[in-house]
Amino acid sequence: MPRLLTVEDHRLEEARQRKKHWKRWGPYLSERQWGTVREDYSPNGTAWEYFPFQHSHARTYRWGEDGIGGICDRHQMICFALALWNGKDPILKERLFGLTGNQGNHGEDVKECYFYLDSTPTHSYMRMLYKYPQAEFPYRWLVEENAKRGRTNPEFELLDTGVFKENRYFDVFVEYAKADVEDILIKITAFNRGPEAAPLHLLPTLWFRNTWSWGKDLRRPAARRAPDTPGSLCAELQHWQYGKRWLLAAGTPELLFTENETNYEEIFKFRSRTPYVKDGFHSYLIRGNKGAVNPELTGTKMATHYAMQLEPGESATLKLRLTDLDPLGSMDPDSPMVGTISGPAHYERASGVPGTNDFGAGFDNVFTDRQKEATEFYESRIPKGMSDDAQHVMRQAYSGMLWNKQFYHYDVYTWLEGDPAEPEPPPERLHGRNKDWTHLYNDDVISMPDKWEYPWYAAWDLAFHCIPLAIIDPDYAKEQLLLLLREWYMHPNGQLPAYEWAFGDVNPPVHAWAAWRVYKIERRMRGVADRSFLEKVFHKLLLNFTWWVNRKDPEGHNIFQGGFLGLDNIGLFDRSAPLPTGGHLEQSDGTSWMGMYCLNMLAIALELAKDDQAYEDVASKFFEHFVYIARAMNDMGPNGRSLWDNEDGFYYDLLHLPNGEDHFLKIRSMVGLIPLFAVETLEPEIVDRLPGFKRRMQWFIDNHPDVPEHIEMTQRSARGVRRLLSLANRKQLKRILCRMLDETEFLSPHGIRALSRFHLDHPYEVQVNGHTSKVDYEPAESSTEVFGGNSNWRGPIWFPVNYLLIESLQKYHHYFGEDFKIECPTHSRNEQDLWQVAQEISKRLTRIFVRGKDGKRPFAGGQELFNSDPHWRDLILFYEYFHGDNGAGLGASHQTGWTGLVAKLLEQSGA
């Protein structure tokens, strides 16, 4: 593919070379800042209760901002988002509502309907949809009904309340189009879908993140009313980092000004610092308090208030512009709205950029051009020949991933110590959450799993995000992977930060895998290999690998622990807590992840060794370390037991008790499939180019007679012997796949389950201290409280591990070829090679989103709106995980992050 292909590609190249900062502005505003660890200054880490939703409208945030369909600059100094009121809600809707982890019967959960429809990588064009009920929003009902439900009941969602019946809602589309780097056109279009006329108040809102109230930087930005241009009202913004900007609003809306300051009377029952506070627009509009807004038309928060009454089927469009062009000096002399202009800024306007007084054809043409450019860009990334519906799924998946970028700010040292202008934090915090991560200083735009449910990064989620992101923006993917390896993220001991609730938790070590995959994707896309990126990643990951070896292999046997390792409730016990039995677990997944880590590092070292022989030595180290892990996992010798159960033909965790007894925890789960991830072929043409590595490898093989048990050398090419490095050998692979491809066990119509359906009728139970611990098949939400109970690995389908299984099968096929066949599904008498098996699993996964012959998309479950209603049927939610039997979406509803891998599956396999 040519390096530069479309207009958007040119923008990406300009951004890469730092010629133009096309990515300075984007959808970096969070969708939930309240209830986060960053905003929690409580003694014991009760984040949900310390800063609840009820405070969010009136209380200033310390570390970030949130809003609906919003944008901000990459340092979140200036924010813009949409606020709404339907004339009935008790509060102005400035942010999305949802339940806390303690309110939801399955943990935290957003209770809104919104969709990311489009975005380019530079955010030159973006579009999202918010569905706003015309009836009073059922805040209390959602809280109370979910409180009545137990963990065996489904969640009570906004659609279940009936507020969308008879289409009594507004479709509100928010669109952005960049006329230039610092010149953003905004279009907000509201449709009345209901059968009757209905009132609607739209308040496009601009504000500054509060950086001045904490006693460290007293510089205060300001927005103030400015002279109007013909056809629009204008506000001038002054910020110490960006200088002057202007917000222009077409028409004659009411301009409102207040301060982004806490309403202390409302929250804490004592006097506020200013009469104009954060919830001033709420007080003005809903409570009728005319003194809540500043009559001098200045402040750190402003809104343009448009009030309207929409008839059935009627729509209204608002047009605004956030620009660095002086409005009076950048008008268009050809516009019928003005005769003459003056001012030097007029001559600085780029070609094709409409005048600041042009909210007509020139304004609309920018949107038309950007939409066309977005389509051209995705046509260059989406394979031709794919069905229109599959292309639609891919584009929405990419859009969701790009909308889930978020500015993330967290300085742990300052957070623990507190701010000069604020009360001293409780001393308990110095011994609590994240106390060992005082080096961590985050101030970046990061790819989030879900900007409402998980508005914080997670190390292993981020690695998976980067795979589909590399197809559309490899530079951003590389930046994300390097970011977590920076000194102000990675712990001095080499550990990667897991997530803000506990940076010291352990996620699976997939960073090397992601870096290797992104490197190869970019090489394919651009025809250029970024060796510098690969070297930077490799050097830092050497520290992380050493941390794993020193911290997670306590007995030095090459059998690894690691705790929950991202699989939440998959085990019999909480694997991150001390075991109720005493002793410890020898983890099949922990050991397998390290086997995979070795092979990823080996592959990178061999690639780098092509140009630098110094990498041959370290390649030898990872080759040998992998063999040691493979030997330990499959034959621990006289002082231990293998993690392979030859009777069952499956890998299990091993419980090592204080009295020296060992017991398999015979749970057929993803824990026993993860060993398949550790597989790599050493091709003779690579080995022959590296004589030092070849010589040391041969010596190791010759001096370790058991090595052939862990390295298959049955295949040859014209260049010589091909070597397969894998934890599971050919015989073990066949036995594992017999279970994995059995539809009564792991294989569902929609992918591979995280737990075998065998446990539906055969739950695994253990009696410990008079208490029965049990694991059984739960295809939907979790019935346990392990890790908050908002995720479930006991039956549902998860995209990240399914993606790795597909890739592993392809790697095995690369070695074995068409000679290795297996029944797929098991007992079907239909034999397939491993490439075909991988294709079959991929198709089952993509069918979750692509419309079937019955006209339905399985992710929607029983919600008929998504199947038949013309205003819903093309809207797609990329959930966190999916029902193990019917494919219905579960968990976080907007986790396009790793579920965005569906775009990569469609790209490589079609639909």
Side-chain angles (χ1 to χ4, degrees), residues 607-679:
E607 177 72 10
L608 296 174
K610 292 177 182 179
D611 298 316
D612 188 342
Q613 292 182 351
Y615 288 99
E616 292 189 50
D617 287 350
V618 73
S620 298
K621 177 261 184 294
F622 285 112
F623 169 80
E624 294 177 12
H625 205 136
F626 172 77
V627 175
Y628 291 140
I629 290 174
R631 182 169 61 186
M633 188 162 181
N634 289 288
D635 181 14
M636 290 177 63
N639 297 320
R641 285 183 60 179
S642 164
L643 301 184
W644 171 257
D645 181 359
N646 200 50
E647 180 181 350
D648 286 1
F650 208 70
Y651 286 103
Y652 297 118
D653 283 348
L654 188 70
L655 177 61
H656 185 75
L657 295 173
N659 63 7
E661 293 181 5
D662 293 324
H663 298 278
F664 277 132
L665 297 181
K666 292 196 171 189
I667 303 167
R668 296 180 196 166
S669 74
M670 190 59 65
V671 164
L673 300 181
I674 288 175
L676 300 184
F677 298 169
V679 54

Side-chain angles (χ1 to χ4, degrees), residues 145-211:
E145 179 60 30
N146 277 282
K148 296 176 185 176
R149 299 191 175 197
R151 294 198 176 274
T152 58
N153 303 121
E155 295 171 332
F156 184 63
E157 304 290 2
L158 182 61
L159 281 170
D160 298 325
T161 67
V163 293
F164 293 106
K165 283 183 178 179
E166 298 181 317
N167 291 333
R168 294 181 183 273
Y169 66 90
F170 300 102
D171 267 342
V172 184
F173 293 90
V174 181
E175 294 179 84
Y176 300 92
K178 292 183 181 178
D180 208 341
V181 173
E182 300 284 350
D183 191 7
I184 305 168
L185 310 189
I186 305 163
K187 187 160 62 173
I188 300 167
T189 304
F191 289 85
N192 180 359
R193 301 298 188 195
E196 297 177 357
L200 178 63
H201 298 259
L202 296 177
L203 290 85
T205 305
L206 184 144
W207 70 102
F208 301 102
R209 176 165 63 90
N210 189 324
T211 58

Side-chain angles (χ1 to χ4, degrees), residues 203-276:
L203 290 85
T205 305
L206 184 144
W207 70 102
F208 301 102
R209 176 165 63 90
N210 189 324
T211 58
W212 58 88
S213 292
W214 321 110
K216 293 194 172 187
D217 187 344
L218 301 181
R219 291 175 294 180
R220 190 184 186 98
R224 59 180 59 87
R225 178 72 183 268
D228 301 330
T229 59
S232 67
L233 302 186
C234 181
E236 178 185 288
L237 321 173
Q238 182 73 44
H239 193 281
W240 50 265
Q241 178 155 320
Y242 290 114
K244 286 187 178 180
R245 295 288 187 278
W246 291 266
L247 180 69
L248 290 82
T252 56
E254 182 180 19
L255 294 190
L256 305 175
F257 291 82
T258 187
E259 302 292 341
N260 186 13
E261 295 271 9
T262 295
N263 183 341
Y264 284 93
E265 284 97 341
E266 176 78 14
I267 303 298
F268 300 113
K269 309 307 178 188
F270 61 83
R271 187 175 180 180
S272 297
R273 297 170 181 171
T274 168
Y276 311 113

Side-chain angles (χ1 to χ4, degrees), residues 299-536:
T300 51
K301 180 179 179 180
M302 64 157 295
T304 60
H305 174 212
Y306 293 84
M308 61 195 72
Q309 179 90 356
L310 294 180
E311 295 298 321
E314 187 183 6
S315 67
T317 298
L318 316 185
K319 296 180 179 181
L320 301 98
R321 186 169 183 172
L322 178 59
T323 182
D324 64 343
L325 295 175
D326 184 332
L328 294 179
S330 302
M331 293 191 290
D332 187 346
D334 297 323
S335 172
M337 303 188 70
V338 62
T340 60
I341 63 162
S342 62
H346 166 66
Y347 301 102
E348 299 173 6
R349 194 156 38 91
S351 174
V353 174
T356 49
N357 59 317
D358 185 355
F359 281 93
F363 185 96
D364 293 338
N365 287 342
V366 173
F367 278 89
T368 301
D369 290 344
R370 297 300 173 267
Q371 290 167 348
K372 180 181 176 182
E373 292 159 6
T375 296
E376 289 173 346
F377 175 78
Y378 282 112
E379 285 176 347
S380 75
R381 297 306 195 271
I382 297 174
K384 293 178 173 54
M386 189 181 293
S387 71
D388 290 344
D389 192 52
Q391 292 183 46
H392 177 72
V393 172
M394 276 189 77
R395 186 156 173 178
Q396 276 202 41
Y398 285 134
S399 300
M401 300 203 70
L402 293 169
W403 270 93
N404 267 321
K405 293 181 181 181
Q406 179 188 307
F407 169 76
Y408 183 89
H409 188 30
Y410 190 14
D411 171 359
V412 173
Y413 179 83
T414 298
W415 177 75
L416 288 171
E417 292 290 323
D419 293 304
E422 292 293 300
E424 184 176 350
E428 295 93 332
R429 300 173 75 253
L430 297 176
H431 308 285
R433 177 175 287 136
N434 297 331
K435 63 181 175 60
D436 297 324
W437 289 78
T438 53
H439 73 286
L440 188 136
Y441 184 90
N442 298 166
D443 186 8
D444 297 284
V445 172
I446 306 178
S447 177
M448 296 292 152
D450 178 317
K451 287 201 299 186
W452 194 95
E453 190 151 334
Y454 302 117
W456 32 261
Y457 63 88
W460 82 307
D461 295 58
L462 185 64
F464 287 104
H465 300 181
C466 291
I467 306 308
L469 283 171
I471 299 172
I472 54 175
D473 190 357
D475 290 319
Y476 178 66
K478 291 185 295 182
E479 289 165 6
Q480 294 293 288
L481 291 171
L482 287 169
L483 194 60
L484 263 64
L485 302 175
R486 300 293 189 191
E487 300 80 54
W488 48 94
Y489 281 77
M490 177 187 274
H491 197 281
N493 65 19
Q495 185 180 9
L496 295 185
Y499 41 77
E500 67 175 30
W501 287 91
F503 283 125
D505 269 357
V506 184
N507 279 182
V510 291
H511 225 74
W513 165 79
W516 179 230
R517 292 291 288 118
V518 167
Y519 172 82
K520 292 192 290 184
I521 290 170
E522 181 186 32
R523 185 173 60 187
R524 172 173 63 87
M525 300 291 295
R526 285 180 167 167
V528 177
D530 190 346
R531 177 189 167 89
S532 174
F533 159 73
L534 204 59
E535 283 191 292
K536 289 176 183 177

Side-chain angles (χ1 to χ4, degrees), residues 129 280 616 686:
L129 167 64
E616 292 189 50
I686 295 176

